[in-house]
Amino acid sequence: MEKKIKVLLVDDEQEFVQTLAERLKMRDVGPDVAYNGEQALELVSDQVPDVMVLDLRMPGIDGMEVLRRVRKNYPDVQVIILTGHGSDKDEEEARRLGAFEYLQKPVDVDHLLKTLRLAYKKKMEDAMVAATFAEAGDFRTAREIMDEDKKDR
């Protein structure tokens, strides 16, 4: 049986994020929802998601700052940027900070779902490779693998 992917959708456009959440639920992915950066950071600290789908332009703590904090404090969380107002410069910065993918609104839900699954797969593969090294007693390499994502992005 396939494990349910823990997804957090973060967007200040409440109608959009609720509609997206419903469409994902119809595809057996039941996401949690946050309507601003502050709420997203609180939810992550309570229950760390596998994948976060994050808008960039939000009042208060914007998406880029949420990305920065999540990647620093929870490096195994895969973050997909989903924005309607992004630029090439924003995409470059998001990828530098460790975003798994950068998508533009409107997005096809099936494409987003495929991206969510790829992000989850990457998270699981990284964890399995690190665990293999740890089981062999090579804790330094295991730690490097888990930290590698942080450095590379």
Side-chain angles (χ1 to χ4, degrees), residues 63-148:
M64 209 63 84
E65 182 59 25
V66 172
L67 172 62
R68 191 175 285 111
R69 293 183 192 185
V70 166
R71 295 298 297 159
K72 179 181 180 202
N73 297 315
Y74 308 94
D76 60 330
V77 174
Q78 299 299 316
V79 180
I80 299 168
I81 300 297
L82 178 59
T83 186
H85 307 287
S87 65
D88 289 343
K89 184 180 176 191
D90 288 334
E91 180 174 0
E92 185 179 303
E93 179 68 2
R95 290 186 186 278
R96 187 187 69 75
L97 291 171
F100 176 79
E101 187 58 85
Y102 188 96
L103 303 174
Q104 293 281 338
K105 293 177 187 173
V107 68
D108 176 73
V109 175
D110 291 324
H111 178 69
L112 177 60
L113 187 58
K114 181 179 179 183
T115 305
L116 283 167
R117 288 185 174 134
L118 287 172
Y120 180 70
K121 180 181 176 197
K122 179 175 182 2
K123 175 188 173 170
M124 295 289 80
E125 287 172 349
D126 288 352
M128 286 188 289
V129 169
T132 300
F133 280 98
E135 285 175 14
D138 188 350
F139 299 107
R140 190 180 65 147
T141 302
R143 172 55 49 207
E144 287 172 0
I145 290 167
M146 294 307 290
D147 289 342
E148 187 176 274

Side-chain angles (χ1 to χ4, degrees), residues 6-34:
K6 289 191 290 187
V7 177
L8 176 60
L9 301 179
V10 185
D11 198 308
D12 63 317
E13 296 176 46
Q14 291 189 17
E15 190 173 310
F16 168 78
V17 79
Q18 288 171 346
T19 300
L20 183 57
E22 287 301 317
R23 294 184 75 192
L24 288 173
K25 283 178 190 169
M26 289 189 292
R27 290 161 175 83
D28 288 331
V29 175
D32 289 324
V33 173

Side-chain angles (χ1 to χ4, degrees), residues 20-51:
L20 183 57
E22 287 301 317
R23 294 184 75 192
L24 288 173
K25 283 178 190 169
M26 289 189 292
R27 290 161 175 83
D28 288 331
V29 175
D32 289 324
V33 173
Y35 300 111
N36 58 55
E38 293 87 349
Q39 189 179 24
L41 293 170
E42 284 178 30
L43 286 172
V44 169
S45 71
D46 288 341
Q47 186 172 10
V48 180
D50 297 312
V51 182

